[in-house]
Amino acid sequence: MWSYKLQCFECQRGFPAQEAGFRCKICGGLLEVIFDLAEKREPAWKSRQLSVWKYRELLPVEKEECIVSLAEGGTGLHHCKRLGRKLGLKKLYVKNEGENPTGSFKDRGMTVAISKARELGKKKVLCASTGNTAASLAAYSARAGMECIVLMPKGKVAGGKMLQVIMHGAKLIQVRGDFDQALEMAMELADKRREFYLMNSINPFRLEGQKTLAFEILHQLGERCPDVVLLPVGNGGNISAAWKGFSEFQQLKIVRDRPRMMGIQAEKAAPIARAVKSRQSKVRPIHNPQTIATAIRIGSPASWPKVLRAIRESKGTAETVTDRQILAAQKELATLEGIFVEPASAASIAGLKKLSEDGQVDPSETVVCVTTGHGLKDPSVLERLPKSQTGYNLEITGASRLERLERVL
Ligand code: AN7
């Protein structure tokens, strides 16, 4: 591991890494891990298999024996020719994060943060979640033998994620209200009771794991930088982490350029897109956010300062999509490319469609859509599909079955 410090994202003051707080003690800003990359050269990465820990020099865990892993990262970057043709794009890639151990991109951050928690001597971990963070934390804390508490908004979490949390033996507490209230409670509890270590993306170590998404994309494209990267945005941790990853590879001179970062939100849960479109320098929370994409049903995004900077510095943008567009994109990706993602993830595809129709993505550009979670996470989508698409109407019983079967084909 290379040396690093924790630094305030706002006032740039540095803090020793052992002071595992989550806010700047002076101005209250978000913290960020900063590696000293001066004079550094690319390590022996070419000889290691694609994975999160391939990049261990750039991950803030010192003791190898503290690493808790379930084989995360190394997900496919799929060239999507059929979908690309439909959207008028030759070089469309999908980075499918649903291929991670618990079925979402959260595992990249969780393997690093839980390893760090172990290194710091923590025994109990805590998060608030729309589902995927909780599922991932439940699995990694089980693997580490730690106690795990998750707060989730009651009735607003997809079934598969609930099942994962329960199966891994986490203490599940359902909160009346939205994710935003659950996160506030988790932060208050972590402040008051220091034995509970907060694992939301306000924890800067988690974002370090998530930045490996960018490293992998660059290596999978043969060290060529894509022009555009699109991600669904909720709290904004992932888009900020990816931007940090692209920036670090540029600092290491592995690539010359960085991509435009485009954040996609659901129309009725879009505080970031609203701020970007109206050129605000701050993000105002949205009350009572609504969308079928429950993973990104978030009104008060914790990492908003980092998101705005990533979008501004990269000359990117933010866009909104409707639930209908999300569901259509989910079905299209699954049907045309064999890639099944959850609704929140399909937002990146739906957003690409909108932005390319709008001329903000050029047909000749190399585009990477990040699909963040597996489609099996949320079986409730079945109820939303038009019956004609599901095979619900086709049924065979009784005599002369084969004849009838042939008739419906
Ligand atoms: C599939 O699990 O916030 O912008 O508590 O599950 O980094 O928040 C999930 C977020 C996108 C948004 N796609 O990422 C949680 C949680 C999926 C997600 C996001 C989430 P961020």
Side-chain angles (χ1 to χ4, degrees):
M1 187 203 67
W2 292 338
S3 64
Y4 72 92
K5 62 180 176 186
L6 284 176
Q7 185 174 301
C8 174
F9 189 75
E10 304 296 338
C11 73
Q12 265 81 54
R13 275 192 193 82
F15 300 94
Q18 288 70 22
E19 292 178 23
F22 298 118
R23 293 264 180 198
C24 172
K25 292 197 171 65
I26 313 297
C27 78
L30 295 167
L31 298 182
E32 187 173 38
V33 172
I34 303 284
F35 277 91
D36 179 10
L37 298 181
E39 316 283 315
K40 288 285 191 300
R41 294 239 199 104
E42 184 174 354
W45 283 335
K46 299 241 166 32
S47 63
R48 298 182 201 154
Q49 216 186 333
L50 201 68
S51 74
V52 168
W53 293 100
K54 171 185 172 113
Y55 304 103
R56 54 184 177 260
E57 287 82 359
L58 280 173
L59 298 174
V61 177
E62 278 143 73
K63 298 185 186 141
E64 203 149 331
E65 67 273 19
C66 288
I67 292 177
V68 181
S69 174
L70 289 163
E72 45 292 310
T75 57
L77 182 71
H78 308 285
H79 188 184
C80 291
K81 293 186 189 157
R82 277 146 61 83
L83 181 62
R85 207 172 300 136
K86 210 156 177 194
L87 300 180
L89 298 164
K90 275 214 177 64
K91 289 174 276 181
L92 169 61
Y93 295 84
V94 165
K95 178 70 170 162
N96 188 21
E97 290 290 285
E99 295 166 34
N100 275 296
T102 77
S104 86
F105 72 99
K106 304 284 181 185
D107 298 337
R108 287 184 190 276
M110 218 51 88
T111 181
V112 172
I114 204 104
S115 302
K116 191 69 194 174
R118 188 185 249 185
E119 201 171 74
L120 292 167
K122 309 287 179 187
K123 302 272 187 301
K124 299 178 183 179
V125 286
L126 163 75
C127 77
S129 178
T130 58
N132 279 325
T133 297
S136 183
L137 183 59
Y140 281 85
S141 56
R143 183 106 175 124
M146 288 185 195
E147 201 179 308
C148 174
I149 295 164
V150 309
L151 304 180
M152 302 211 281
K154 189 173 163 63
K156 294 169 184 165
V157 174
K161 302 171 192 180
M162 294 288 286
L163 179 57
Q164 286 177 290
V165 167
I166 293 165
M167 189 58 67
H168 291 302
K171 181 154 199 168
L172 165 61
I173 297 154
Q174 303 201 61
V175 178
R176 288 252 170 91
D178 292 318
F179 163 81
D180 304 301
Q181 279 104 52
L183 180 61
E184 252 175 58
M185 280 177 69
M187 291 197 289
E188 281 170 21
L189 180 65
D191 260 349
K192 187 164 175 217
R193 301 266 302 270
R194 285 300 158 106
E195 73 265 33
F196 295 111
Y197 188 57
L198 188 64
M199 296 290 270
N200 280 96
S201 53
I202 187 172
N203 180 328
F205 301 119
R206 238 191 73 197
L207 296 187
E208 291 304 291
Q210 285 178 210
K211 77 185 176 186
T212 60
L213 168 72
F215 299 163
E216 288 190 5
I217 290 172
L218 293 175
H219 272 146
Q220 284 170 304
L221 288 175
E223 301 185 353
R224 272 196 309 271
C225 183
D227 298 294
V228 180
V229 174
L230 297 104
L231 305 98
V233 170
N235 271 304
N238 208 29
I239 192 170
S240 328
W243 180 240
K244 188 170 190 287
F246 286 119
S247 304
E248 287 181 352
F249 262 32
Q250 188 190 42
Q251 280 171 268
L252 288 169
K253 301 196 171 59
I254 297 169
V255 287
R256 236 181 343 170
D257 306 312
R258 293 181 292 178
R260 308 202 297 286
M261 305 298 290
M262 300 193 174
I264 313 299
Q265 297 202 292
E267 193 176 41
K268 293 188 177 133
I272 299 224
R274 186 173 68 179
V276 169
K277 281 169 182 264
S278 58
R279 299 179 197 283
Q280 306 277 319
S281 58
K282 285 201 163 106
V283 171
R284 274 180 301 126
I286 281 180
H287 298 289
N288 194 18
Q290 298 289 341
T291 169
I292 184 190
T294 51
I296 51 171
R297 187 171 170 173
I298 293 171
S300 181
S303 297
W304 68 261
K306 294 184 178 179
V307 185
L308 290 193
R309 192 188 291 176
I311 289 176
R312 196 184 58 232
E313 277 184 5
S314 74
K315 303 190 171 55
T317 190
E319 190 50 271
T320 62
V321 290
T322 64
D323 280 0
R324 189 192 285 258
Q325 289 167 331
I326 287 174
L327 288 172
Q330 181 189 28
K331 185 77 171 62
E332 200 158 53
L333 180 64
T335 307
L336 290 178
E337 301 290 352
I339 300 171
F340 181 27
V341 305
E342 68 170 284
S345 308
S348 65
I349 307 285
L352 172 61
K353 196 167 193 172
K354 199 167 165 185
L355 288 166
S356 57
E357 280 167 9
D358 201 34
Q360 297 199 53
V361 176
D362 191 82
S364 66
E365 290 190 303
T366 301
V367 179
V368 176
C369 275
V370 180
T371 54
T372 42
H374 201 288
L376 289 172
K377 293 265 188 181
D378 190 355
S380 74
V381 172
L382 186 58
E383 313 305 322
R384 307 249 181 174
L385 293 172
K387 285 275 186 287
S388 60
Q389 281 186 10
T390 59
Y392 270 16
N393 300 335
L394 301 177
E395 196 178 296
I396 309 253
T397 50
S400 48
R401 280 184 301 193
L402 195 60
E403 262 170 50
R404 289 185 199 200
L405 175 57
E406 286 186 285
R407 226 176 296 139
V408 297
L409 290 179

